[in-house]
């Protein structure tokens, strides 16, 4: 890693700072980016990836940490923005991987709670359990011995509540009964979400890259399968992206035949301008980083010591309150909900912790 490269990446970044460390046994560069702790301790996932240059891993950590500040603030949740990147020189397995994760856990201990980590791209909940063997600064584990947890059902619950809020703003009633919803991607989040929607009486359409999976879910829930090619042009009340990001862009938006886009996928907007394009097309868009925060919220609550799962679920359902305020503000201003969410982030950070 070159010093000028690092300095270039850091120049202009407005975060608290970055802890950088090299791990000689695996040749990994470890970056822990602490962006903002106005609302609480910095918290965000740990990404493990082979980058062309370690500096690219640092740049990723900075960008993602800033994103976490916005995510927590938009949900008005008492955490700050942070993210870590393990820029590995090659894929690691077995003892090598465990060793790195343990040394990373010791670094977290040295930070004394200023940053808490969780699973992200390239790391698994099992990896988090490994880190938890040496450090308590890990979210998404039941404790040191009981094993990892799955965030997806909580994410699905948050998206379900978010869809209801969007329905109320668009149609005056939050009742999904009789509404046509198209769930794209019936995986860990999409399937339990489809189940909730179907249970609430929605007319369910499903699509998945894995056709057999789509058919199995459709059979079980009495849904109809839509081909991938037809997803964007199928008439529905709510398009629910729960697969990959980047599906909303200047070519896809004019083809959409839905009233609402509200789903779990990360980074649904291919570019920031897509938010105003959706607004211009009269489609109500639930900002992804607000509506898909249920898993993170649940894990963070448990990490803070909340052990009553009903209470955790109540908090996750609170995503509907954040979205409600965002939609209401967007309506008053005549702006896209994304613009309203950004204003809310700035205001919440200025206000400070509750
Ligand atoms: P998953 O991998 O369990 O499920 C994804 C499903 O989408 C799979 O069934 C897969 O076959 C299908 N799929 C993949 N590419 C597709 C395509 N191009 N078109 C249609 N279907 C496709 O993933 P998971 O955990 O359900 O996450 C879904 C999305 O939600 C991802 O974008 C993820 O980043 C995001 N997300 C997930 C959270 C969670 O708690 N699991 C939390 C926040 C965001």
């Amino acid at each position: 890693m070159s010093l000028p490269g690092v300095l270039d990446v850091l120049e202009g970044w407005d975060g608290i700072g970055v802890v950088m460390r090299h791990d000689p046994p695996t040749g990994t560069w470890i970056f822990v980016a602490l962006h903002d702790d106005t609302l609480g301790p910095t918290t965000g996932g740990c990404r493990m990836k082979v980058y062309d240059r370690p500096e690219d891993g640092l740049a990723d950590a900075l960008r993602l940490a800033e994103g976490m500040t916005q995510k927590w603030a938009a949900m008005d949740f008492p955490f700050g923005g942070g993210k870590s990147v393990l820029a590995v020189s090659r894929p690691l397995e077995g003892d090598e991987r465990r060793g790195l994760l343990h040394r990373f856990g010791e670094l977290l201990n040295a930070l004394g709670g200023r940053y808490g980590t969780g699973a992200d791209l390239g790391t698994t909940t099992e990896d988090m359990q490994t880190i938890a063997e040496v450090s308590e600064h890990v979210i998404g584990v039941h404790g040191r011995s009981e094993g990892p947890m799955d965030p997806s059902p909580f994410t699905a619950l948050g998206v379900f509540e978010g869809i209801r809020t969007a329905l109320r703003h668009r149609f005056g009633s939050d009742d999904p009964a009789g509404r046509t919803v198209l769930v794209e991607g019936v995986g860990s989040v999409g399937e339990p979400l489809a189940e909730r929607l179907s249970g609430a009486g929605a007319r369910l359409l499903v699509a998945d890259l894995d056709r057999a999976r789509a058919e199995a879910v459709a059979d079980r829930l009495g849904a109809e399968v839509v081909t991938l090619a037809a997803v964007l042009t199928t008439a529905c009340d709510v398009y629910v992206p729960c697969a990959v990001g980047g599906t909303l862009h200047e070519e896809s938006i004019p083809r959409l035949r839905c009233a609402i886009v509200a789903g779990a996928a990360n980074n649904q907007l291919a570019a920031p301008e897509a938010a105003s394009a959706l607004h211009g097309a009269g489609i109500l868009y639930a900002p992804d980083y607000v509506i898909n925060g249920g898993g993170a919220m649940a894990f963070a609550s448990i990490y803070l010591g909340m052990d009553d799962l009903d209470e955790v679920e109540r908090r996750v359902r609170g995503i509907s309150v954040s979205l409600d305020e965002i939609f209401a503000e967007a309506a008053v201003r005549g702006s896209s909900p994304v613009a309203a969410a950004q204003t809310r982030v700035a205001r919440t950070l200025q206000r400070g912790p509750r």
Side-chain angles (χ1 to χ4, degrees):
M1 192 160 64
S2 80
L3 186 56
V6 169
L7 298 181
D8 281 348
V9 172
L10 279 171
E11 204 169 306
W13 189 63
D14 67 350
I16 298 167
V18 190
V19 175
M20 292 189 272
R21 202 182 121 179
H22 188 242
D23 183 63
T26 60
T28 302
W29 276 100
I30 302 175
F31 303 109
V32 183
L34 314 176
H35 182 256
D36 188 297
D37 63 358
T38 307
L39 299 180
T42 72
T43 308
C46 170
R47 181 163 289 198
M48 189 188 294
K49 189 174 158 183
V50 179
Y51 292 88
D52 288 343
R53 305 174 314 150
E55 293 91 317
D56 298 337
L58 171 60
D60 231 5
L62 302 187
R63 184 179 59 81
L64 294 164
E66 190 170 349
M68 286 309 299
T69 299
Q70 291 171 342
K71 184 163 185 153
W72 293 124
M75 296 189 291
D76 202 354
F77 213 62
F79 282 92
K83 203 88 181 183
S84 51
V85 165
L86 303 178
V88 289
S89 54
R90 60 199 149 76
L92 297 178
E93 298 300 333
D95 286 347
E96 269 199 319
R97 188 176 180 104
R98 282 179 63 75
L100 171 65
L101 292 171
H102 280 165
R103 290 184 291 278
F104 173 58
E106 279 150 17
L107 179 61
L108 298 185
N109 291 342
L111 288 171
R114 296 291 304 272
Y115 166 72
T117 200
D120 192 67
L121 202 86
T123 57
T124 63
T125 43
E126 284 73 22
D127 288 332
M128 294 307 115
Q129 194 64 33
T130 303
I131 299 170
E133 288 165 8
V134 301
S135 174
E136 64 188 28
H137 306 297
V138 186
I139 69 169
V141 290
H142 280 298
R144 300 237 181 144
S145 57
E146 287 173 55
M149 305 188 317
D150 179 8
S152 311
F154 295 106
T155 304
L157 174 62
V159 176
F160 177 70
E161 293 298 335
I163 289 173
R164 287 171 39 129
T165 306
L167 285 171
R168 189 170 65 252
H169 277 264
R170 194 67 169 73
F171 298 115
S173 161
D174 66 1
D175 188 356
R179 294 283 167 206
T180 303
V181 294
L182 196 169
V183 180
E184 177 188 43
V186 277
S188 313
V189 177
E191 185 174 11
L193 174 60
E195 201 166 325
R196 281 189 185 272
L197 288 163
S198 149
R203 175 176 167 248
L204 186 65
L205 310 176
V206 296
D208 200 291
L209 186 62
D210 180 345
R211 174 88 194 185
R213 187 170 180 89
E215 276 166 7
V217 172
D219 280 353
R220 191 167 68 77
L221 300 177
E224 208 178 297
V225 176
V226 172
T227 63
L228 290 191
V231 164
L232 294 174
T233 52
T234 298
C236 58
D237 294 308
V238 195
Y239 163 45
V240 188
C242 289
V244 289
T247 57
L248 303 169
H249 45 76
E250 57 185 15
E251 278 158 34
S252 64
I253 292 169
R255 300 170 67 207
L256 290 173
R257 292 175 63 206
C258 60
I260 294 167
V261 177
N266 275 316
N267 305 320
Q268 291 168 34
L269 306 178
E273 305 78 62
S276 30
L278 284 163
H279 180 60
I283 296 171
L284 184 63
Y285 172 66
D288 47 13
Y289 62 88
V290 183
I291 195 171
N292 75 9
M297 220 178 207
F299 277 19
S301 302
I302 293 165
Y303 175 61
L304 284 181
M306 188 182 283
D307 47 17
D308 176 353
L309 281 188
D310 289 341
E311 180 64 10
V312 172
E313 284 198 8
R314 198 188 57 75
R315 276 215 174 179
V316 171
R317 286 180 195 275
I319 283 178
S320 61
V321 177
S322 299
L323 268 179
D324 188 43
E325 291 168 3
I326 288 167
F327 289 146
E329 175 149 356
V332 168
R333 289 172 28 176
S335 76
S336 78
V338 173
Q342 279 160 354
T343 306
R344 178 182 163 94
V345 165
R347 216 171 28 227
T348 304
L349 289 172
Q350 201 172 15
R351 182 208 66 203
R354 274 186 200 272

